[in-house]
């Protein structure tokens, strides 16, 4: 029997925070253990949540774990560490690159050899890329030249996995060496930022990755999990998943929030830089030259055209009616967001095995003063599709790696210096449903 909107509302109003799921004692070292710190990424969910969910709902060890919003690969890394096969999807090519590097253990001796070779054979090259004009907005000419040198020296590496490993470090280093305000996840210029020497900054991060790879390799070797499958695909999750019916044992995912197309902006440095080299990144050039079109592909944007009455949720309908009174464009975005999420939940139901669990980690937010009840809407949509309630958990967000502030007027990410700021990520929910 489907859960009714009033019953769902009442359940969430009375839900108390569960301290066991807040992981307040988890420090930075634990958050960035193994390969989790390879690359900055917005809205990461903490690995401790994933690990506990896998232990609770995939206890046998032979299960296949799936994350339709793979992001930077937290689910896949934790699944591999626990010896479970995994599959992830994400529309963002940067997410695919990061995840593939994070789930690929490389023999530490081999990594060390290539690092030494890289330093011994490093050249200041005359080669350069014809960069997108936005690169000059974010970097001064001297820094661009030094970054080009690092990039072309990386390209000389013949080993594919090692080269991607170095490119991941390079991608992470771009923000460090740009004019981008480091404490902001918004594209914001820092007029007084001291730009580090690119090569030194790159090598510091590379050395950290080399150390973490060694720890990851040792842990997997000890668990006999070095060759456990962890596959990441670049896919639009609002379309059919490239998976068979009834093929997945456990889904763990953290969907994007409303206005998720903002996330595309946060990766623009890497998208633009790699896209400027179509000879090497053959499929990336369009993301560089058609960046605005790429943003339009993300979940829930009004660019996709209005999809009214496709979200199958009374809770969503009331939210949209309230938003229409404030701003019709935002109401269109949210309409499309909930319609896209309905498609995704339907696909999740299709690929999940009977009796298996889907775990959704999601929080609520607000736009133009209207509460966007993402968690409750997700429960109603999933229930109407056929999922059964297992458990709802409310957890305090003490370590989530995303700014907790949004502008209460625009609903966009903001910082502490904004007088219109409002904290919107104090709590989030873990929704556990069963097919």
């Amino acid at each position: 029997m489907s859960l009714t909107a009033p019953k769902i509302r009442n359940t969430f109003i009375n839900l108390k925070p569960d301290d066991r799921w807040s992981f307040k004692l988890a420090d930075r070292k634990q958050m960035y253990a193994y390969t989790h710190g390879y690359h900055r990424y917005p809205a990461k969910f903490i690995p401790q949540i994933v690990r506990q969910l896998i232990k609770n709902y995939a206890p046998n060890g032979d299960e296949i774990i799936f994350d339709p919003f793979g992001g930077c690969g937290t689910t896949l890394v934790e699944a591999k560490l626990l010896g479970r096969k995994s599959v992830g999807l994400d529309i963002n090519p940067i997410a695919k690159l990061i995840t593939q590097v994070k789930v690929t253990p490389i023999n530490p001796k081999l990594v060390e050899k290539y690092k030494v070779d890289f330093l011994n054979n490093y050249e200041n090259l005359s080669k350069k890329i014809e960069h997108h004009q936005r690169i000059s907005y974010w970097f001064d000419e001297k820094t661009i030249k030094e970054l080009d040198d690092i990039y072309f020296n990386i390209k000389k590496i013949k080993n594919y996995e090692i080269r991607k490993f170095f490119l991941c470090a390079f991608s992470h280093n771009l923000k460090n060496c740009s004019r981008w305000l480091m404490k902001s996840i918004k594209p914001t210029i820092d007029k007084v930022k001291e730009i580090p020497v690119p090569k030194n900054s790159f090598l510091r991060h590379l050395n950290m990755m080399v150390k973490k790879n060694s720890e990851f390799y040792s842990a997997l070797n000890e668990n006999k999990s070095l060759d456990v499958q962890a596959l990441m695909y670049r896919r639009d999750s609002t379309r059919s998943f490239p998976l068979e019916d009834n093929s997945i044992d456990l889904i763990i995912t953290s969907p994007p929030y409303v206005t998720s197309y903002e996330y595309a902006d946060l990766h623009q440095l890497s998208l633009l830089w790699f896209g400027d080299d179509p000879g090497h990144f053959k499929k990336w050039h369009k993301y560089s030259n058609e960046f605005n079109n790429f943003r339009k592909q993300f979940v829930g944007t009004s660019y996709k055209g209005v999809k009214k009455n496709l979200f199958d949720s009374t809770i969503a309908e009331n939210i949209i009616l309230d938003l229409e009174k404030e701003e019709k464009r935002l109401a269109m975005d949210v309409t499309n967001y909930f319609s896209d999420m309905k498609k995704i939940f339907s696909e999740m139901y299709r690929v999940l095995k009977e009796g298996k669990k889907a775990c959704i980690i999601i929080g609520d937010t607000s736009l133009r003063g209207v509460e966007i009840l993402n968690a409750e809407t997700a429960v109603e949509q999933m229930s109407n599709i056929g999922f059964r309630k297992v458990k709802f958990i409310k957890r305090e967000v003490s370590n989530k790696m995303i700014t907790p502030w949004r502008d209460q007027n625009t609903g966009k990410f903001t910082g502490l210096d904004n007088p219109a700021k409002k904290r919107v990520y104090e709590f989030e929910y873990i929704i556990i449903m069963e097919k």
Side-chain angles (χ1 to χ4, degrees):
M1 179 183 291
S2 297
L3 295 169
T4 63
K7 186 174 181 179
I8 294 169
R9 180 88 271 255
N10 186 61
T11 298
F12 276 81
I13 287 173
N14 293 300
L15 200 58
K16 304 298 182 187
D18 188 337
D19 285 342
R20 294 171 299 178
W21 287 89
S22 291
F23 301 102
K24 293 180 180 179
L25 297 179
D27 58 19
R28 183 179 176 85
K29 183 178 179 181
Q30 291 170 306
M31 297 291 179
Y32 292 95
Y34 302 110
T35 62
H36 289 301
Y38 273 15
H39 200 292
R40 64 175 58 84
Y41 204 90
K44 286 183 179 181
F45 56 173
I46 62 175
Q48 287 78 6
I49 295 176
V50 178
R51 176 167 287 259
Q52 193 58 54
L53 289 171
I54 292 175
K55 288 181 176 179
N56 288 357
Y57 301 112
N60 297 328
D62 58 353
E63 295 92 349
I64 300 176
I65 316 298
F66 173 52
D67 187 346
F69 295 105
C72 64
T74 302
T75 296
L76 276 66
V77 170
E78 286 300 309
K80 185 150 186 150
L81 284 164
L82 292 169
R84 274 69 164 181
K85 295 179 181 179
S86 61
V87 182
L89 310 178
D90 204 284
I91 194 170
N92 192 343
I94 293 292
K96 180 182 176 182
L97 171 66
I98 297 168
T99 299
Q100 285 181 328
V101 172
K102 286 172 65 174
V103 299
T104 303
I106 307 174
N107 188 303
K109 292 181 180 179
L110 187 64
V111 178
E112 194 63 42
K113 174 188 176 300
Y114 273 97
K115 189 186 83 169
V116 171
D117 288 348
F118 177 81
L119 292 172
N120 288 340
N121 299 314
Y122 193 88
E123 300 175 276
N124 294 322
L125 302 164
S126 58
K127 294 181 180 179
K128 68 175 186 175
I129 298 174
E130 292 299 320
H131 286 290
H132 191 282
Q133 61 184 7
R134 291 287 292 175
I135 292 295
S136 294
Y137 174 79
W138 288 113
F139 302 90
D140 61 59
E141 290 306 311
K142 180 174 181 291
T143 300
I144 292 172
K145 171 63 174 68
E146 292 178 16
L147 286 169
D148 272 339
D149 282 345
I150 298 169
Y151 180 71
F152 279 105
N153 276 285
I154 291 172
K155 283 182 64 177
K156 292 192 297 183
I157 298 172
K158 291 186 169 56
N159 183 295
Y160 176 71
E161 289 181 352
I162 297 288
R163 188 168 66 248
K164 282 209 304 185
F165 185 87
F166 277 60
L167 286 171
C168 182
F170 178 84
S171 175
H172 175 89
N173 192 46
L174 286 172
K175 185 175 180 181
N176 298 346
C177 299
S178 73
R179 297 187 180 106
W180 195 306
L181 180 65
M182 292 305 293
K183 292 183 178 180
S184 174
I185 62 171
K186 292 170 55 182
T188 306
I189 288 285
D190 183 348
K191 296 180 180 178
V192 297
K193 182 176 180 179
E194 291 188 21
I195 307 299
V197 177
K199 185 179 176 183
N200 294 345
S201 179
F202 168 75
L203 290 175
R204 275 195 301 273
H205 190 70
L206 181 68
N207 285 333
M208 181 279 289
M209 287 177 59
V210 169
K211 178 182 176 183
K212 292 297 184 180
N213 169 73
S214 181
E215 294 172 3
F216 187 51
Y217 188 93
S218 297
L220 294 176
N221 190 42
E222 185 177 337
N223 296 338
K224 296 182 172 56
S225 301
L226 283 170
D227 297 321
V228 169
Q229 170 189 289
L231 302 175
M232 184 70 167
Y233 299 102
R234 200 197 83 80
R235 291 286 193 283
D236 180 351
S237 291
T238 64
R239 302 186 179 185
S240 296
F241 299 160
L243 299 168
E244 299 293 328
D245 295 357
N246 307 303
S247 59
I248 297 298
D249 297 284
L250 176 64
I251 295 172
I252 302 175
T253 195
S254 182
Y257 285 78
V258 174
T259 63
S260 65
Y261 50 84
E262 292 178 27
Y263 297 155
D265 290 331
L266 309 183
H267 298 110
Q268 64 177 274
L269 300 182
S270 300
L271 285 167
L272 293 171
W273 199 287
F274 293 150
D276 285 343
D277 186 12
H280 191 81
F281 287 88
K282 294 182 175 63
K283 296 181 180 179
W284 291 50
H285 196 51
K286 59 184 178 183
Y287 307 128
S288 176
N289 286 315
E290 302 173 17
F291 184 71
N292 286 332
N293 288 334
F294 175 62
R295 294 172 82 251
K296 296 174 186 179
Q297 298 174 36
F298 277 63
V299 170
T301 75
S302 51
Y303 298 111
K304 294 183 175 183
V306 184
K307 304 174 183 176
K308 285 190 175 180
N309 302 320
L310 297 179
F311 40 74
D312 191 22
S313 165
T314 303
I315 297 169
E317 187 172 358
N318 290 332
I319 292 168
I320 291 160
L321 288 172
D322 287 340
L323 268 177
E324 284 179 340
K325 300 171 188 175
E326 304 297 327
E327 186 177 327
K328 289 191 179 296
R329 176 62 175 271
L330 272 179
M332 290 168 62
D333 286 341
V334 176
T335 296
N336 287 351
Y337 173 82
F338 287 134
S339 296
D340 283 343
M341 290 308 301
K342 169 68 187 309
K343 287 183 189 177
I344 292 159
F345 291 138
S346 296
E347 275 295 281
M348 285 167 53
Y349 191 84
R350 177 183 68 81
V351 302
L352 197 62
K353 293 178 182 177
E354 189 82 22
K356 300 298 184 178
K357 311 295 190 293
C359 306
I360 315 298
I361 298 96
I362 194 167
D364 296 334
T365 186
S366 65
L367 295 172
R368 292 289 191 269
V370 176
E371 294 298 316
I372 310 298
L373 304 173
N374 295 310
E376 293 175 36
T377 302
V379 168
E380 186 180 15
Q381 289 179 316
M382 293 176 77
S383 179
N384 289 340
I385 289 166
F387 282 100
R388 296 186 291 269
K389 174 188 174 182
V390 175
K391 191 175 186 180
F392 302 151
I393 300 166
K394 183 178 183 179
R395 65 176 297 270
E396 185 177 354
V397 179
S398 54
N399 291 298
K400 187 164 183 178
M401 292 162 243
I402 183 173
T403 175
W405 307 106
R406 279 192 181 258
D407 186 303
Q408 58 187 334
N409 296 319
T410 66
K412 293 185 176 182
F413 294 130
T414 191
L416 283 168
D417 56 344
N418 185 348
K421 70 180 181 297
K422 179 180 179 181
R423 184 173 181 181
V424 291
Y425 299 123
E426 186 174 2
F427 298 100
E428 69 180 0
Y429 301 91
I430 305 173
I431 299 164
I432 303 166
M433 306 282 274
E434 180 181 276
K435 179 174 176 178

